[in-house]
Amino acid sequence: ERGRLLFAAPVEFLKGVVAMSGLPPADRVEVCFAGRSNVGKSSLINALTNRKNLARASNTPGRTQEINFFTTQDGPYLVDLPGYGFAEAPVNVVKKWQELLKSYLSGRVNLRRAFVLIDSRHGVKKVDDEILTLLDRSAVTFQVVMTKVDKISKAEREKVIEQVKGALAAHPAAHPEIVVTSSEKGEGVDVLRAIIANLE
Ligand code: GDP
């Protein structure tokens, strides 16, 4: 109910940030979304916020890497982190992004939770695991959100969840509850809304 209320009000784009100095004041709770490029992050943020094009698909390697801030009505900031894992991205772009990500995760006092999106077809890959380790070190509680679950069978679903649980066992900052979603079918979207609305 709280989740529905929070996202019934319009969510607006506030700003894109390329350096720590650009962050908005830490005057409210904040949650962030991370995931490999193409994991379905834009689609999930759009589904969460009932918007078609709030989060733009950012699939261009080497494009300016921004941390995008969205405001909810009287609720937390929603923060869209740049997709990671693009092999083609230039080394200097990757380096700069890693530095900003590290500073953001370790320095943002109002960051309550990171949602790490994992493609249901692929499970936790090495590049995901590196982000999970960074979250451990930054002492940011993270929660895994499986995406595109409509693309796999029930049996595959159970299998991938076991794989993810196994990977999470090594991470002290992991929240044990895994959220299973499909932006296409709307599955799990209300669950995620409620989790966000209930964070204090
Ligand atoms: P991003 O790069 O992480 O922002 O990923 P996008 O949201 O742009 O999604 C990448 C691709 O996956 C697009 O072709 C989407 O249409 C597709 N996609 C995203 N979410 C889902 C989903 O829940 N189900 C299915 N079947 N496809 C999805």
Side-chain angles (χ1 to χ4, degrees):
E1 185 54 32
R2 268 169 93 170
R4 206 157 304 182
L5 274 175
L6 177 61
F7 288 97
V11 174
E12 303 289 353
F13 175 71
L14 178 66
K15 68 189 299 198
V17 169
V18 294
M20 288 296 280
S21 58
L23 295 179
D27 58 0
R28 66 199 78 174
V29 166
E30 184 164 309
V31 300
C32 68
F33 298 86
R36 300 174 78 190
S37 301
N38 218 37
V39 71
K41 186 156 55 61
S42 308
S43 303
L44 186 65
I45 292 173
N46 289 336
L48 264 179
T49 57
N50 306 298
R51 294 275 297 260
K52 278 217 165 68
N53 227 342
L54 186 64
R56 281 154 301 160
S58 48
N59 290 334
T60 322
R63 146 192 180 281
T64 312
Q65 303 269 284
E66 295 191 344
I67 299 182
N68 287 316
F69 281 76
F70 303 97
T71 53
T72 58
Q73 195 101 54
D74 301 321
Y77 282 128
L78 309 180
V79 180
D80 184 12
L81 300 174
Y84 53 79
F86 248 122
E88 309 94 279
V91 177
N92 61 322
V93 171
V94 173
K95 271 230 168 90
K96 191 164 172 257
W97 145 233
Q98 283 172 340
E99 285 312 308
L100 179 59
L101 181 68
K102 266 190 202 169
S103 309
Y104 169 73
L105 292 177
S106 58
R108 193 66 172 162
V109 294
N110 57 330
L111 179 59
R112 286 292 176 280
R113 191 163 301 181
F115 294 102
V116 180
L117 278 49
I118 300 290
D119 192 314
S120 294
R121 296 167 299 174
H122 307 316
V124 176
K125 299 286 191 189
K126 188 165 175 280
V127 64
D128 299 309
D129 209 68
E130 286 166 11
I131 297 291
L132 303 188
T133 298
L134 180 57
L135 288 160
D136 289 334
R137 291 189 181 140
S138 310
V140 173
T141 301
F142 69 83
Q143 188 159 11
V144 166
V145 178
M146 309 299 297
T147 61
K148 310 186 193 183
V149 73
D150 59 282
K151 284 185 180 265
I152 62 170
S153 70
K154 276 261 153 62
E156 288 167 325
R157 186 190 287 226
E158 277 169 32
K159 211 170 140 192
V160 74
I161 286 174
E162 284 315 303
Q163 189 265 344
V164 173
K165 280 185 179 163
L168 292 188
H171 294 285
H175 188 287
E177 182 192 352
I178 297 166
V179 187
V180 177
T181 69
S182 162
S183 303
E184 192 114 325
K185 305 281 181 208
E187 179 176 347
V189 173
D190 268 333
V191 175
L192 191 53
R193 287 190 186 125
I195 290 168
I196 294 169
N198 286 315
L199 288 172
E200 312 240 297

